[in-house]
Amino acid sequence: MKRSKFVSVALNGAAFVLITGAFFVVLEGLSSTLIAVIQVLEKPETEASRYDADVGWVGLPNANIPNMYGPDRYVRTNSRGFRNEVETEAHVPLGRVRIICSGDSFTYGQGVANNHTWCHHLTELDERFETVNMGQTGYGVGQMFLWYSREGVSLDHSIHIFAFVHGDLDRMARADQHGYGKPVLRLENGELVLDKVPVPRFRWWVNRAVARADLRSLDLAQRVIARLSSGGADPSSPETLGPVAFEVFRQIKQLSVQNTVLPVIVFFPTQRELEGESSWRLWVEETMATLGIPLIDLSPAMRDVPAGQVGSYFIPPPRPSAGHYTEAGNYWVAKQIHQHLMELPQVQSILEGIGVSRRPQ
């Protein structure tokens, strides 16, 4: 009897383990299916980008993707590949102050429609402003600088907002971003030198095919190969990259002086940074003070926002755009930037130059 009871208990235990295991397998399958369905609603970023031999990738001209990030979250670009719904003329319309917004996916507005990006909101907060959204998904600080130097400098503008998160400084050390080839800036005898150009075209097409087909195994293999090819190193600290980044910002300041443009650096907080300090944040503060470039660091202000409210500023998982700013987050950022701009004497002088010193009522 004792042996029979032992066998019965063992069988019941084994059945419980099997049933529990099967339950989690089914749950995992359903979760993966749900995530896949959600991801289908958001198209690969390459749908609105094209290969570029010098910068890696740039905006696709005249793109019109109605549901890029889900229902009504559309992407439109003009003939220059900027995320603007109107053409960007070489000269600024009379009575307007043009602001060029340089940046990565946070500036581009990943996850939201054109009319909900913080760059666009600046024009709603102040009708005197005309903004040009030169943000591009996946960009590092080096690519932002190269893209602006090539396409932005030649445009009439009075203010250049150069916005980034700490990860965009890290990206300067890498020759690829998620498998897509990109240029690398380095110092040689104190001068900026451009490496890894022309950017390999085949890597763009291969990765675009991977993104469209959602071949995650191949995507993982490519990332592993990319990391192994770099020796497993990630030399992206202020100590190693600081001198290169400093020269990039020094040249941004130099370009601004030459073209009578006010440069403004904006440092964006991510959800992770709200929980701990970024290794780059102090470096950015000290560098901008040294170069005399106005800095708008939004980290302290966002940390003061109640936890329940600040959570609504970030897109939640499992959406592919998770971690980026929501519509509410973009609007909060725009209001913060506008407030800081209005406090800069240089901006007031620029506005007075168009014959309007106060915002029209």
Side-chain angles (χ1 to χ4, degrees):
M1 289 292 294
K2 290 183 178 180
R3 183 172 181 177
S4 176
K5 183 179 292 186
F6 174 79
V7 171
S8 177
V9 170
L11 289 174
N12 288 335
F16 175 79
V17 171
L18 288 173
I19 292 172
T20 303
F23 170 77
F24 281 108
V25 168
V26 172
L27 180 62
E28 175 66 19
L30 291 174
S31 299
S32 297
T33 301
L34 176 61
I35 291 173
V37 170
I38 292 173
Q39 288 185 335
V40 165
L41 296 177
E42 294 196 16
K43 298 175 174 59
E45 292 299 328
T46 50
E47 291 293 318
S49 304
R50 63 179 175 85
Y51 165 81
D52 186 272
D54 299 320
V55 189
W57 58 92
V58 295
L60 183 69
N62 300 313
N64 184 7
I65 307 174
N67 301 306
M68 177 74 174
Y69 299 113
D72 299 323
R73 296 189 177 102
Y74 66 93
V75 166
R76 293 194 192 111
T77 63
N78 60 26
S79 63
R80 297 178 185 268
F82 303 155
R83 195 176 179 188
N84 289 84
E85 298 184 40
V86 297
E87 286 301 325
T88 303
E89 305 297 340
H91 301 291
V92 184
L94 187 65
R96 305 292 289 277
V97 170
R98 178 178 286 167
I99 300 176
I100 288 184
C101 308
S102 291
D104 65 351
S105 50
F106 283 81
T107 296
Y108 183 81
Q110 183 171 336
V112 301
N114 276 38
N115 61 347
H116 285 293
T117 67
W118 65 261
C119 186
H120 174 78
H121 280 314
L122 287 178
T123 66
E124 297 175 332
L125 291 168
D126 201 317
E127 62 187 28
R128 296 168 295 181
F129 292 147
E130 178 195 79
T131 58
V132 177
N133 190 342
M134 290 189 67
Q136 292 293 329
T137 59
Y139 265 16
V141 164
Q143 288 169 292
M144 297 175 204
F145 167 66
L146 294 172
W147 180 225
Y148 170 74
S149 299
R150 193 180 80 185
E151 303 293 338
V153 170
S154 61
L155 299 172
D156 280 349
H157 60 291
S158 300
I159 302 171
H160 178 207
I161 296 179
F162 195 92
F164 55 91
V165 298
H166 79 280
D168 298 332
L169 287 153
D170 297 340
R171 290 173 184 173
M172 291 183 64
R174 306 170 192 164
D176 75 275
Q177 175 64 15
H178 295 320
Y180 293 92
K182 58 180 285 293
V184 175
L185 287 167
R186 62 181 178 83
L187 283 180
E188 186 175 291
N189 299 321
E191 299 290 332
L192 278 181
V193 176
L194 194 59
D195 276 347
K196 309 298 182 181
V197 288
V199 174
R201 183 185 292 270
F202 78 92
R203 294 187 68 175
W204 166 264
W205 291 113
V206 169
N207 280 278
R208 186 172 187 182
V210 169
R212 282 181 166 178
D214 198 20
L215 300 177
R216 299 185 185 184
S217 58
L218 182 54
D219 178 50
L220 176 61
Q222 288 179 321
R223 296 190 190 197
V224 170
I225 292 171
R227 174 51 64 94
L228 292 176
S229 65
S230 65
D234 187 18
S236 54
S237 67
E239 290 74 22
T240 54
L241 270 181
V244 180
F246 183 92
E247 181 59 20
V248 167
F249 289 114
R250 191 193 70 80
Q251 290 201 20
I252 289 174
K253 174 68 178 292
Q254 187 177 45
L255 284 172
S256 300
V257 171
Q258 291 172 353
N259 295 283
T260 320
V261 170
L262 172 66
V264 178
I265 302 301
V266 177
F267 189 79
F268 285 145
T270 62
Q271 281 181 297
R272 184 178 299 177
E273 284 171 329
L274 294 179
E275 301 170 358
E277 199 62 63
S278 163
S279 60
W280 278 103
R281 186 165 167 255
L282 180 60
W283 181 93
V284 170
E285 182 179 338
E286 293 175 345
T287 297
M288 300 315 142
T290 299
L291 292 173
I293 303 177
L295 169 65
I296 300 174
D297 181 359
L298 296 182
S299 302
M302 189 170 282
R303 287 197 180 104
D304 289 340
V305 176
Q309 181 179 343
V310 78
S312 68
Y313 292 168
F314 294 93
I315 297 173
R319 284 179 55 187
S321 297
H324 290 84
Y325 296 140
T326 59
E327 287 82 355
N330 272 278
Y331 188 66
W332 181 88
V333 165
K335 288 195 298 182
Q336 291 290 318
I337 292 176
H338 181 260
Q339 176 183 332
H340 284 282
L341 288 177
M342 293 301 100
E343 294 171 355
L344 292 174
Q346 304 97 311
V347 172
Q348 290 300 322
S349 296
I350 291 170
L351 291 173
E352 289 170 4
I354 63 169
V356 182
S357 60
R358 295 181 180 273
R359 182 184 176 189
Q361 298 298 315

